[in-house]
Amino acid sequence: DIVMTQSPDSLAVSLGERATINCKSSQSVLYSSNNKNYLAWYQQKPGQPPKLLFYWASTRESGVPDRFSGSGSGTDFTLTISSLQAEDVAVYYCQQYYSTPYNFGQGTKLEIK
Amino acid sequence: QITLKESGPTLVKPTQTLTLTCTFSGFSLTTSGVGVGWIRQPPGKALECLALIYWDDDKRYSPSLKSRLTIIKDTSKNQVVLTMTNMDPVDTATYYCAHRQVGSGSYDFWGQGTLVTVSS
């Protein structure tokens, strides 16, 4: 199985400031034949199911604000919120879909400082 | 518009078998590339993939739970059913079904989830 490890476990950022969440996979999720990273990011607010933010590591899902960005390749990935808004308070998860089981990271809880 | 909804018991006893049904609309499980997965989340904990079924009836299971899980599809009813045997209190969780995005492997549409409590 590919193990996904996120850092930090929790993060407090002031409104308007940048938030950065990291995700590391235990093996590369870059598929060489198409040069795509099989990595997704989700946002989960309390009492709600996860919401897809990015797939292929950096392709923004429709409707996701452009203050969110995804980057990285191979085994190291980053989710960045350029200017934190109050509605961004949530738990964020990365997920690899390179091989089954499509494991998730343990989650990063983002709060307002 | 793709929607999914989970249904099943909210309370099961230890050692019993859990049967959950995912009823969906807005897509067909006969279309090439389509998949439906089950994911669970214990209270306050992380997401865990349980099983995934594809349009061609290919099935994938979590290795740690494979002996306890069965996933099947009923394309005529637009349903996917997950059974989990020998339930234990540690299996208490919200169980979600989700649509696997065609062309990638991420889950782009999710049901609201159903909380299953395992207790005697």
Side-chain angles (χ1 to χ4, degrees):
Chain A
D1 295 10
I2 298 177
V3 177
M4 307 301 291
T5 304
Q6 293 180 226
S7 61
D9 290 334
S10 62
L11 180 63
V13 174
S14 300
L15 289 172
E17 295 300 304
R18 178 183 299 262
T20 301
I21 298 169
N22 300 300
C23 174
K24 189 174 184 67
S25 56
S26 60
Q27 65 187 74
S28 176
V29 298
L30 174 63
Y31 194 40
S32 56
S33 67
N34 60 10
N35 202 37
K36 288 186 174 183
N37 288 284
Y38 285 55
L39 190 286
W41 286 99
Y42 299 84
Q43 176 193 64
Q44 187 179 32
K45 297 182 178 180
Q48 297 183 18
K51 173 188 174 184
L52 178 64
L53 297 177
F54 292 92
Y55 53 98
W56 302 133
S58 61
T59 301
R60 191 181 292 108
E61 178 74 337
S62 176
V64 174
D66 61 7
R67 65 180 180 272
F68 289 87
S69 63
S71 63
S73 184
T75 61
D76 293 281
F77 301 90
T78 301
L79 174 69
T80 302
I81 307 171
S82 61
S83 177
L84 188 70
Q85 304 300 303
E87 61 265 32
D88 301 333
V89 169
V91 179
Y92 293 84
Y93 294 94
C94 61
Q95 181 205 23
Q96 66 82 18
Y97 49 94
Y98 184 89
S99 65
T100 54
Y102 294 156
N103 288 333
F104 292 86
Q106 81 276 19
T108 295
K109 186 175 184 179
L110 178 58
E111 300 173 310
I112 304 294
K113 185 187 290 183
Chain B
Q1 164 108 10
I2 290 175
T3 64
L4 306 98
K5 185 174 184 179
E6 306 86 354
S7 59
T10 57
L11 178 66
V12 297
K13 290 179 168 46
T15 75
Q16 286 187 335
T17 294
L18 171 69
T19 299
L20 294 173
T21 301
C22 176
T23 304
F24 57 84
S25 63
F27 66 95
S28 172
L29 250 179
T30 62
T31 302
S32 178
V34 174
V36 172
W38 283 95
I39 302 101
R40 72 178 179 180
Q41 185 173 39
K45 296 189 176 181
L47 300 160
E48 178 185 19
C49 286
L50 300 177
L52 171 61
I53 189 165
Y54 292 98
W55 81 102
D56 59 357
D57 211 38
D58 185 16
K59 301 167 186 177
R60 305 296 174 95
Y61 295 100
S62 165
S64 62
L65 294 168
K66 185 175 183 177
S67 64
R68 299 174 53 205
L69 295 173
T70 302
I71 188 170
I72 63 170
K73 60 182 173 70
D74 185 334
T75 54
S76 66
K77 294 181 179 179
N78 279 352
Q79 291 180 335
V80 172
V81 177
L82 180 76
T83 59
M84 181 181 291
T85 61
N86 194 26
M87 293 292 284
D88 183 271
V90 300
D91 297 313
T92 294
T94 295
Y95 287 75
Y96 297 100
C97 63
H99 171 266
R100 177 185 174 275
Q101 189 180 47
V102 176
S104 79
S106 54
Y107 290 112
D108 56 353
F109 292 92
W110 294 65
Q112 284 299 308
T114 185
L115 175 61
V116 178
T117 301
V118 184
S119 175
S120 55

